[in-house]
Amino acid sequence: MFKILDRYIIKTFFGPFFFIFSVLFFIFIVNIIWVQLGQFMGKGLTTFQIVKLLFYLGVSVISMVLPLTILLASIMSFGEFGERYELAAMKAAGISLTRVMTPLLGVATILAIMLYFFSNDIIPDFQRKAKNMLFNIAQTKPALNFTPGQFIDQLPGYMVKFDKIYGEDGKDIEGVFVHKKASTFENQQTIIAKKGKFVTPANKNFLKLELYDGYVIEDNFAGKGENARLKQPDQVIKFDTLVSHFDVSELINKAIEEEQITDDYRFQTYSELNKTIQKSKKDNASYFNTVNGDVLNQVNTVVTYMDKSKSKIAAKQQIKLDTVKGEKKLEMISNAYNRMDNLKATLETKNNEINPSVKYFGKVVMYQQRIVTYSFTCVIFFLIGASLGSIIRKGGMGLPVIIAIVIFIIFYIINVGMENLAWAGKMNPYLASWLPNMVLFPFGLWMTYKALTDSQLFDAEKYKSLLKPITKRFSKSKEHKRYQ
């Protein structure tokens, strides 16, 4: 009997689970597309390459999607049990709510363990692929990467220089110089134009340039040796408008997944992050000692100067500020303020230098701890969701969705707030990583207790009866119409 019941409970849970996971995954992917859209649109990418990039980026959102899916699916499944009076039937048959929750608690635990290994072993690899792919895609739009006034060999087989790049999206150019890198058996060719612009080509594998008012300088002495080149001048062709296409397919297709970025903490597993954290601690400690030494040396310079002055001047000869003439007094006050300003500027400079190191350490620690904390969040969200579902006894996509979103928003706000404090060095990053779970875990236990004791937590009539003595004082008693 219990095996049949367990299968039924698990089947009821996974029905909304897969649907909700798909919807949430799609929503998070749409958010990524919205943020990254400008980086890969119009870069000559194929549909397959865009889908691959979205897949790489989408894998990382699973660590956030899975806990929310468990929360919402558990609320909906237990809400349906209550709405169809199946929980009441189970309790009448002597099956406690704890027994009903046990198989799904096991499922949530298995999902949490799977999320840990997924976050530890798979996500770092896809993070590396996604970041390198985004970096390489950013290089596939030559118009956006040309630096005015500098020679660039970004186009395969050509050397180009633009004196000025301006206009909408940097499409307009002035002072164009394009030189073909010809071999010994090819004609040398150079294009010079006063103005031009980048034009969207029909084939995304080509870069299209429309040039105005210029010259094409070319020789026809390929393979004839240097003497032949010296005897006759180059051929010069003047043009009003010239359209040139440059093949950038090699740049787009072959270099799109080249891994040029390898040193990033997000590419590391939990154990590898331990080494990064220890190295960061050691570097920070060494740097802090250096900073402390610099500041103390500056302070000690002032103190030493004052001590030396005291040793050289007798007490009766010491200068008193009220006996000093106006100009001398202003000079002494100005020197004192200058020393204080210099010390203040030094402290601000050192503080600005320290902040990036503190922020990096906080980021690495929080990234490492979230590999574990998000797995615990899955179990906590199940306890909250299952308890809420059994209390509200309402299935479907209405009230359960609203409650789940509110709980997730609270979790997300706490998570982001603690993250900012840790990055600023105002909170221990280990504590900041675990604090959202530490806040929600007691709430989950309390909700579980309320569900086990059949609490009427969302019964409006209960709250009306509690407030009745107060509302009664402010309400006027009405006589029956018969007596009016």
Side-chain angles (χ1 to χ4, degrees):
M1 173 184 174
F2 286 114
K3 289 184 178 180
I4 297 174
L5 179 63
D6 292 342
R7 285 199 299 268
Y8 175 71
I9 293 171
I10 294 173
K11 181 181 177 181
T12 305
F13 173 79
F14 275 108
F17 176 87
F18 289 117
F19 171 74
I20 295 167
F21 184 87
S22 303
V23 171
L24 292 177
F25 187 79
F26 175 76
I27 291 172
F28 277 79
I29 287 294
V30 168
N31 180 62
I32 290 174
I33 294 174
W34 185 261
V35 173
Q36 306 286 352
L37 188 64
Q39 295 192 40
F40 56 78
M41 292 304 294
K43 300 294 182 72
L45 301 180
T46 63
T47 303
F48 175 73
Q49 288 169 337
I50 293 176
V51 170
K52 185 186 290 187
L53 172 62
L54 293 178
F55 175 71
Y56 288 158
L57 293 171
V59 167
S60 61
V61 306
I62 292 178
S63 59
M64 186 65 73
V65 170
L66 186 60
L68 180 57
T69 303
I70 291 175
L71 172 64
L72 191 51
S74 57
I75 293 178
M76 291 179 64
S77 57
F78 276 85
E80 289 178 1
F81 288 152
E83 191 175 24
R84 296 195 299 254
Y85 297 101
E86 291 175 336
L87 281 178
M90 292 176 191
K91 291 179 181 178
I95 302 173
S96 65
L97 180 61
T98 306
R99 178 63 186 81
V100 177
M101 291 174 63
T102 299
L104 290 185
L105 180 60
V107 170
T109 303
I110 292 173
L111 290 174
I113 295 172
M114 290 174 62
L115 179 61
Y116 167 77
F117 286 106
F118 187 83
S119 301
N120 187 60
D121 300 326
I122 297 177
I123 288 182
D125 183 51
F126 281 89
Q127 286 270 42
R128 185 182 68 255
K129 292 179 181 296
K131 188 164 184 178
N132 278 282
M133 197 170 181
L134 281 173
F135 175 80
N136 293 327
I137 286 172
Q139 307 302 312
T140 62
K141 187 68 172 177
L144 298 179
N145 294 288
F146 290 133
T147 303
Q150 293 184 10
F151 283 96
I152 303 293
D153 60 350
Q154 203 168 19
L155 297 179
Y158 290 89
M159 250 326 214
V160 299
K161 180 175 77 72
F162 305 122
D163 291 339
K164 186 177 180 182
I165 301 175
Y166 62 98
E168 186 179 357
D169 298 327
K171 291 184 177 180
D172 297 316
I173 51 180
E174 288 184 5
V176 181
F177 180 91
V178 180
H179 177 71
K180 183 180 179 181
K181 299 176 185 177
S183 65
T184 307
F185 301 99
E186 292 179 320
N187 293 330
Q188 299 284 343
Q189 185 186 78
T190 301
I191 302 174
I192 300 173
K194 290 184 178 180
K195 292 184 179 181
K197 65 179 180 180
F198 292 98
V199 181
T200 303
N203 188 339
K204 297 297 182 181
N205 286 327
F206 287 86
L207 174 71
K208 185 177 180 181
L209 272 181
E210 196 171 288
L211 305 177
Y212 311 109
D213 192 10
Y215 299 88
V216 178
I217 304 170
E218 185 175 0
D219 65 29
N220 295 313
F221 308 110
K224 294 182 180 179
E226 196 65 30
N227 292 330
R229 294 179 186 274
L230 295 173
K231 290 179 180 179
Q232 296 185 26
D234 296 334
Q235 179 180 342
V236 179
I237 302 173
K238 187 180 186 303
F239 62 85
D240 294 326
T241 302
L242 175 67
V243 177
S244 297
H245 289 79
F246 301 92
D247 187 0
V248 292
S249 59
E250 180 183 358
L251 181 68
I252 293 174
N253 299 323
K254 293 184 179 180
I256 202 70
E257 292 192 50
E258 181 183 355
E259 294 192 357
Q260 303 181 50
I261 305 173
T262 57
D263 186 17
D264 195 302
Y265 63 89
R266 286 170 292 187
F267 306 162
Q268 299 175 348
T269 62
Y270 189 92
S271 57
E272 291 171 345
L273 285 168
N274 280 328
K275 299 177 182 178
T276 304
I277 291 171
Q278 294 302 321
K279 183 178 181 300
S280 180
K281 275 184 178 180
K282 185 177 179 180
D283 293 343
N284 287 349
S286 176
Y287 182 71
F288 294 158
N289 290 334
T290 303
V291 170
N292 289 337
D294 292 342
V295 175
L296 286 174
N297 286 337
Q298 187 168 350
V299 174
N300 289 336
T301 301
V302 179
V303 174
T304 303
Y305 173 79
M306 293 173 63
D307 290 341
K308 287 181 179 179
S309 298
K310 287 181 180 180
S311 63
K312 292 179 179 179
I313 302 174
K316 62 180 181 179
Q317 296 177 336
Q318 287 182 352
I319 299 173
K320 293 184 179 180
L321 198 60
D322 55 354
T323 63
V324 178
K325 293 183 179 180
E327 294 182 0
K328 186 67 175 178
K329 184 189 294 185
L330 290 174
E331 183 181 352
M332 294 175 65
I333 294 172
S334 177
N335 289 336
Y337 274 113
N338 288 337
R339 290 179 182 275
M340 293 298 295
D341 288 341
N342 290 337
L343 183 58
K344 183 180 178 181
T346 301
L347 291 174
E348 290 178 354
T349 302
K350 296 301 181 184
N351 186 52
N352 293 334
E353 292 175 358
I354 289 172
N355 284 341
S357 301
V358 173
K359 186 175 182 178
Y360 177 77
F361 177 75
K363 281 185 174 182
V364 176
V365 171
M366 292 202 70
Y367 182 82
Q368 183 202 43
Q369 293 304 306
R370 279 177 178 172
I371 296 175
V372 182
T373 56
Y374 282 165
S375 297
F376 279 94
T377 304
C378 292
V379 179
I380 295 171
F381 274 6
F382 168 75
L383 293 176
I384 296 174
S387 305
L388 281 172
S390 62
I391 291 173
I392 63 176
R393 297 171 186 174
K394 186 73 175 175
M397 298 293 291
L399 184 61
V401 174
I402 296 174
I403 295 174
I405 290 175
V406 170
I407 294 173
F408 181 76
I409 288 174
I410 293 172
F411 169 79
Y412 186 76
I413 290 174
I414 297 174
N415 203 18
V416 173
M418 297 304 103
E419 179 182 85
N420 291 333
L421 289 175
W423 288 4
K426 297 179 181 179
M427 177 177 285
N428 186 294
Y430 290 96
L431 176 61
S433 303
W434 285 93
L435 196 59
N437 285 347
M438 293 168 64
V439 171
L440 290 179
F441 183 62
F443 177 70
L445 293 179
W446 180 71
M447 291 301 303
T448 304
Y449 169 75
K450 287 293 184 181
L452 293 175
T453 55
D454 293 325
S455 173
Q456 302 298 318
L457 193 62
F458 294 95
D459 189 358
E461 296 299 326
K462 177 183 177 182
Y463 295 104
K464 286 181 181 179
S465 62
L466 291 175
L467 297 174
K468 192 172 182 180
I470 300 174
T471 56
K472 191 175 181 181
R473 290 177 175 272
F474 299 96
S475 61
K476 295 181 180 180
S477 59
K478 296 182 180 179
E479 295 183 357
H480 198 277
K481 290 183 179 180
R482 195 166 116 184
Y483 299 103
Q484 290 181 352

